Amino acid sequence: MKFLEYTPLDRINGFLNDLNLGERTIKGSLEAYSCKHTGTDKRLSLSLENEILDYLGKSSDTDSCSPVEFLLSRSSRKTLIYLVLTLYHMYPDYDFSAVKAHQFFTEESWDTFKQIFDTFMVEASKEWVETYGGSSLLETIYKALDEVVELSECEIYSYNPDSGADPFLEKGAIWSFGFFFYNRKLKRVVSFSFCCLSNLVADGFVADNLCYEEDGEIFDNMDI
């Protein structure tokens, strides 16, 4: 996987990098990757493929809606591996399991993505219009994505792991979302993660640390 630089994405990333809205901060990031494997990717891809095949060999689940049915398709396994490799490049400190990750990926439509974006990114969208005017934030994101991965040819996936395995979830997070826009023909994927952090919680962490340090200084000066 190779990170790809696109100016339209840079502009949006600059805006969503640390958007302070008073009691809350919005953070978002769009990252584009080519699905061409590097040396490390080849080894990791093989490891993920073996993990999936081992899982299939041990499973007796024949339910048409089960993970087994999906993973039996070589094309589906390849897509899953590309998505997991993207996660590895985004969060190198995490150890992702292909089989477990599959349980958290859901294929979505643009309308579903739009509904979530419109619901949770209202304030960010208002700030965008006040800052730049013209096209809305969602329209700008659509144009940027279309330029990079041709949305009409894309498969869209959401990634919603449990909180213990969520790399998108930062301290003080109120909510977080992760989406992947994958074009098979172009062999290209764009990730879009966005979350909302409570500034009150963040300030609380700072205050707690200051109190702890002050208490430490007091006790240091006492004869015990």
Side-chain angles (χ1 to χ4, degrees):
M1 306 288 284
K2 180 182 178 182
F3 179 77
L4 304 173
E5 293 187 8
Y6 284 95
T7 302
L9 300 185
D10 291 341
R11 183 187 181 206
I12 300 167
N13 286 336
F15 174 75
L16 292 176
N17 180 54
D18 195 15
L19 183 60
N20 193 313
L21 299 172
E23 294 184 356
R24 295 175 299 282
T25 292
I26 298 291
K27 288 189 175 183
S29 177
L30 285 150
E31 297 183 15
Y33 293 90
S34 163
C35 295
K36 294 179 181 178
H37 286 170
T38 63
T40 304
D41 289 331
K42 290 178 181 178
R43 292 192 295 273
L44 187 53
S45 177
L46 181 60
S47 174
L48 293 170
E49 175 79 10
N50 289 335
E51 177 196 343
I52 294 170
L53 294 177
D54 183 59
Y55 169 77
L56 292 174
K58 294 177 180 177
S59 177
S60 59
D61 196 343
T62 57
D63 183 353
S64 62
C65 296
S66 75
V68 173
E69 184 70 19
F70 175 87
L71 295 173
L72 283 172
S73 163
R74 187 174 184 279
S75 176
S76 297
R77 292 199 304 272
K78 193 172 182 180
T79 297
L80 175 61
I81 288 171
Y82 281 143
L83 295 177
V84 174
L85 287 175
T86 304
L87 285 171
Y88 266 107
H89 279 268
M90 293 170 64
Y91 302 97
D93 294 333
Y94 273 75
D95 185 18
F96 295 97
S97 158
V99 173
K100 186 176 290 186
H102 169 258
Q103 300 169 9
F104 302 137
F105 278 112
T106 305
E107 190 163 4
E108 308 284 6
S109 66
W110 174 263
D111 287 341
T112 303
F113 166 75
K114 181 180 182 300
Q115 183 178 8
I116 291 172
F117 187 92
D118 285 342
T119 300
F120 289 89
M121 296 288 279
V122 174
E123 292 178 89
S125 298
K126 289 179 181 177
E127 287 290 326
W128 173 272
V129 172
E130 289 179 9
T131 303
Y132 297 106
S135 299
S136 69
L137 177 57
L138 183 60
E139 289 171 341
T140 305
I141 290 173
Y142 182 96
K143 291 175 183 176
L145 287 171
D146 196 44
E147 180 177 331
V148 179
V149 287
E150 297 180 10
L151 279 173
S152 62
E153 301 291 330
C154 271
E155 299 166 26
I156 303 174
Y157 296 89
S158 62
Y159 183 66
N160 301 298
D162 54 49
S163 57
D166 188 352
F168 302 124
L169 204 60
E170 298 185 31
K171 281 185 178 180
I174 300 170
W175 49 257
S176 69
F177 294 96
F179 286 90
F180 295 82
F181 302 83
Y182 171 55
N183 187 309
R184 289 177 184 268
K185 293 180 180 178
L186 295 177
K187 291 187 177 181
R188 203 175 291 166
V189 59
V190 174
S191 68
F192 181 27
S193 58
F194 51 104
C195 66
C196 178
L197 308 178
S198 169
N199 291 339
L200 299 179
V201 172
D203 291 343
F205 285 138
V206 173
D208 288 345
N209 289 335
L210 287 174
C211 289
Y212 178 80
E213 290 173 4
E214 290 172 0
D215 289 344
E217 291 175 0
I218 292 171
F219 286 116
D220 286 342
N221 295 327
M222 291 178 66
D223 293 329
I224 299 178

